[in-house]
Each structure stands twice: as C-alpha cells, then as structure tokens.
Amino acid sequence: MFSKKTLTLTIVYTGIYLLSTGISAWGFGAFRQFSAVPVSSLPVTSADGKMVVNPGEPKDQPCPVSGELFTKTEEAIWKNRRPVLAMVENHTESRPQSGLASADVIYEAIAEGGITRFMGVFYCKAVADGNKIAPVRSARIYFVNIAAEYNTPVYVHVGGGNCSRDQASGQCTSNKKAWALEEMIDMGWRKRGGNDFDTTLDTGYPALGRDYNRLGADKVLATEHTMIGFLPKIWDQAEKRGIGGVSEDGSTWESGFRPWKFRDDAKDSDRGSIAAINFDFWEGYKDFTAHWDYDKQSNSYLRSTGGQPHLDLETNKQLSAKNVVIQFVKEQGPLDEHKHMLYEVIGKGSALIFQDGNAIEAAWEKPNQLSRTIFKDKKSGAEITFVQGSTWIEVVPAGNEIVY
C-alpha cells in the first residue's frame, strides 16, 4: 500500500510530467506552424565552414548582384552580410587561383607590366560554395573606383598603390593618380575597424593568412603568391566590426545598391553561333591572352588563359560565365618608376557584350565614383539585360582587337 505522502508525490510528479509534455507538444507544433524556414531547410555547416544546402529546397530567390536563383536559406544568410570584393592575382606562378568559381562577378584588368589582376565579387554564390580566396594581392585605384559601386563592401587586399616615399628625400616616388590607399582614406574606408580588410592595416589571421604550400608541398612559392583569404572568417570579422547587411540606422545594404537587369537564358532556337572570343591585354604578353569558348548546350562561356583552360584550384573545374563583357577604357602609363597604370573606369566608353552566343555592340557609362557602371545597347539605347548567372568584365585598353 502507498502511504499518504507517497501518493501525494506521485500525483504531483504525474501532473508535472503531463503538463511539461503538453507544453512541449504545443511548442513543437507552434514552431512547425510559425517557423519561417522549414526544419528540413535549416542550414548545415560543414567542417570547413561552408554551408550545405538542402538539395530539396527550391531555388527561387534572385541574387541582387548576379540575378542567379538561390534558396531562401541562402538568401537569409546573404541578407545579413555585404559583398566581399577581393583582389586576386594572375601571375603565371600563382595559378591556379582559389575561389574565382565562387564569385558572382569578376573584373579583370592589367595591374602592371602587362600582368592582369582580378577582383571577385563574393556574395550569393559564395554562401554555399565559397571558402578560400587566393592568392590575395594589392589594390589599384581603378579597382577601388569600381568597388565603390557596391555600396561600401568589404574590400580585401594586401597593400596597394600609394605614395611610396623615398627614404632619403621623403618625396613620393609614385604618381598621385595611382594612389589607391590614400583614396580609400578619403572615402572613409581605410581606418581601423573599417570595411578595408588589408593585412598592412588591421586584418590578419584567421581572416587572412599565408600558405606557402597552397599549390602543393613540391612547388616553391614566392611570398607574394601565398596570401589566402578565408571567406567565412572574413564575414565573421565584418560582423564583429558592425559591417553587415543592415546598418545602424536600419537601412539595408541592398537599399543602397543599384542592381543590373537580369533575365532567363535564351531559348535554344534564339542562341547564336559566335563560338569563340580571343584577345590580348598587352601585345606580346601571351601568358595573359584571354580566350572564351561558347557552350551552346549550357549557354555558358568557358575561359582559357595563356593557352590553357583556366581552372579553379578548389573545384578543379574550368571557370565559366553567362555573360562576357569587354569594357574598353582609356589607358595611361606607366605613370612612374613602379610601372603603375591607370585605367579610366569613370566616364564613358564602348563595350562588347557576349551572351546567348551573340555579340552586342554597347556603350558604358559611370558618371562618378559611387555610381553604378551601366551598359546600354548602342542601337536601341536600352539598358543591357544580363543573363542570370556569373558575369565576367574584361577591362581592356581602348583600341585593342577583339577576335570573334
């Protein structure tokens, strides 16, 4: 027989159990009913920091930078960030690069001495695909002027064009037109805790660090080819600095960004037959010859450089783009003993745009540093509508021949 005390405790514990079970059941049901993201769609992070997307979740959210469609889970993540724009070198000894396949937009222009450099825009595609960016190199003023279009992004680099004072005389040995670091100070970017992520300022490991074996233990690399940017850590650091998708005043990054126009791929019957694009940045520098092959089935352009397929080290796949833009600009230089060049990306000029196997004669316009570069059809005057997906913009000296 139960004592009176035992019976009382049993009743109390039973009541507590039933009450807690009921609350748990109600809570789980409420979560299922009111959760904005289904449980099966919640992001999972792999060991290397990348997000693993549920393959069953529909891709119906357009990226503001590229127009490409992604899942709501990915959108929820990029909306809390702002784009990372990173400088990536293209010296022959630095190839293959890491991370270019994860960029939504890539810009290519000469850095100095006929050697080109890239600036990748990492935002939507990098949510799930992005991890490493390498090798990170120095800034140039014309890349900074383009980066300014992206509404104060996280700008990643290692040093850049600057005054370069002579130790004996104290005089600048570089032309003022090439001063990228000083320009970023004037823009309000280059300050401790700011959006300028530079190893020569205040950004280091784990966001940026050197790996002398990035191309394998059997390949000896010079120091300038070894800097790696780790995207998840860069975004973590940006969040700690208060640099995210939403500003202190409540405005979103996207509200201050002017996107291009986008559309679906053309139907098979509307795709053209321009199968190859070939050009040089500098005469005689064949290691940097750019070549694009059009694949009609995927409606994409496959990139080669220096006569070889251009691969991404992380994926071992050939780089591709939905749109290839040749932006003709005025070239000045070398400006000084450091062989700095200047490419005028603010102003107006001509362009060739390749999409859907067709070529469009276009014009570009960027009235000032902060304004978006807009491309228009020369015949109709209408703004170009890009195919959803990655866009590669080749900043080429005006007058260079494009063979297609």
Side-chain angles (χ1 to χ4, degrees), residues 350-353 359-363 376-380 384 404:
S350 297
L352 272 174
I353 297 177
I360 303 171
E361 291 189 7
K376 294 183 178 181
D377 188 311
K378 273 190 175 179
K379 292 182 179 179
S380 66
I384 295 295
Y404 62 96

Side-chain angles (χ1 to χ4, degrees), residues 80-87 119-123 133 136 143 147-157 184 189 193-198 202-203 207-208 229-245 253:
N80 288 316
R81 299 170 171 173
R82 64 183 67 190
V84 168
L85 272 65
M87 301 303 305
M119 181 173 71
V121 180
F122 301 89
Y123 191 47
I133 309 170
V136 179
F143 282 111
E149 300 183 15
Y150 288 86
N151 190 23
T152 316
V154 178
Y155 187 58
V156 177
H157 61 104
M184 284 190 280
W189 289 14
N195 65 300
D196 180 19
F197 279 46
D198 178 6
D202 67 346
T203 308
L208 289 160
F230 299 93
L231 272 171
K233 300 301 181 182
I234 290 171
W235 272 309
D236 286 347
Q237 183 62 236
E239 183 179 1
K240 291 177 182 177
R241 297 185 184 191
I243 302 169
W253 174 84

Side-chain angles (χ1 to χ4, degrees), residues 110-395:
I110 295 169
E112 73 262 322
I115 300 173
T116 66
R117 188 160 296 173
F118 307 115
M119 181 173 71
V121 180
F122 301 89
Y123 191 47
C124 303
K125 190 185 292 187
V127 167
D129 294 344
N131 190 11
K132 294 180 180 179
I133 309 170
V136 179
R137 284 299 296 270
S138 56
R140 293 292 180 269
I141 183 61
Y142 36 96
F143 282 111
V144 172
N145 287 333
I146 295 171
E149 300 183 15
Y150 288 86
N151 190 23
T152 316
V154 178
Y155 187 58
V156 177
H157 61 104
V158 180
N162 63 84
C163 176
S164 301
R165 293 187 185 277
D166 179 76
Q167 291 184 351
S169 67
Q171 298 297 312
C172 293
T173 58
S174 57
N175 191 300
K176 191 174 182 178
K177 292 180 179 180
W179 293 2
L181 302 189
E182 288 81 358
E183 179 64 22
M184 284 190 280
I185 292 174
D186 292 342
M187 295 166 66
W189 289 14
R190 192 168 178 80
K191 59 186 178 183
R192 292 193 174 276
N195 65 300
D196 180 19
F197 279 46
D198 178 6
T199 57
T200 69
L201 181 64
D202 67 346
T203 308
Y205 189 82
L208 289 160
R210 294 198 181 277
D211 181 0
Y212 286 83
N213 296 321
R214 59 170 294 269
L215 296 182
D218 59 334
K219 187 166 184 178
V220 179
L221 291 177
T223 298
E224 60 266 29
H225 307 318
T226 62
M227 185 63 75
I228 296 179
F230 299 93
L231 272 171
K233 300 301 181 182
I234 290 171
W235 272 309
D236 286 347
Q237 183 62 236
E239 183 179 1
K240 291 177 182 177
R241 297 185 184 191
I243 302 169
V246 181
S247 301
E248 291 182 359
D249 61 3
S251 62
T252 65
W253 174 84
E254 288 185 38
S255 66
F257 172 66
R258 201 292 201 185
W260 291 322
K261 295 181 179 181
F262 299 101
R263 61 170 173 79
D264 293 336
D265 289 283
K267 297 178 181 178
D268 290 351
S269 57
D270 293 331
R271 296 177 187 177
S273 57
I274 296 176
I277 311 161
N278 199 79
F279 60 92
D280 291 322
F281 287 87
W282 269 23
E283 185 178 356
Y285 280 67
K286 297 302 180 182
D287 285 336
F288 303 93
T289 296
H291 182 86
W292 295 89
D293 286 306
Y294 177 59
D295 178 61
K296 191 171 185 177
Q297 184 175 0
S298 65
N299 197 33
S300 299
Y301 295 86
L302 301 175
R303 177 179 166 85
S304 296
T305 186
Q308 299 293 326
H310 195 165
L311 306 179
D312 187 287
L313 181 64
E314 304 305 307
T315 65
N316 200 36
K317 293 181 180 179
Q318 189 171 7
L319 297 174
S320 65
K322 286 289 187 176
N323 311 278
V324 177
V325 178
I326 314 296
Q327 182 180 355
F328 294 108
V329 299
K330 184 179 179 180
E331 177 186 64
Q332 294 186 42
L335 300 173
D336 49 42
E337 64 187 66
H338 305 285
K339 298 183 180 180
H340 286 130
M341 302 297 297
L342 178 65
Y343 294 94
E344 297 185 8
V345 296
I346 298 174
K348 298 179 180 180
S350 297
L352 272 174
I353 297 177
F354 297 90
Q355 55 181 212
D356 300 324
N358 298 305
I360 303 171
E361 291 189 7
W364 65 268
E365 182 174 348
K366 178 178 168 68
N368 55 64
Q369 186 183 61
L370 296 179
S371 60
R372 184 73 156 145
T373 303
I374 299 300
F375 299 90
K376 294 183 178 181
D377 188 311
K378 273 190 175 179
K379 292 182 179 179
S380 66
E383 182 178 340
I384 295 295
T385 301
F386 290 104
V387 178
Q388 294 171 342
S390 59
T391 295
W392 198 297
I393 298 182
E394 308 278 23
V395 181

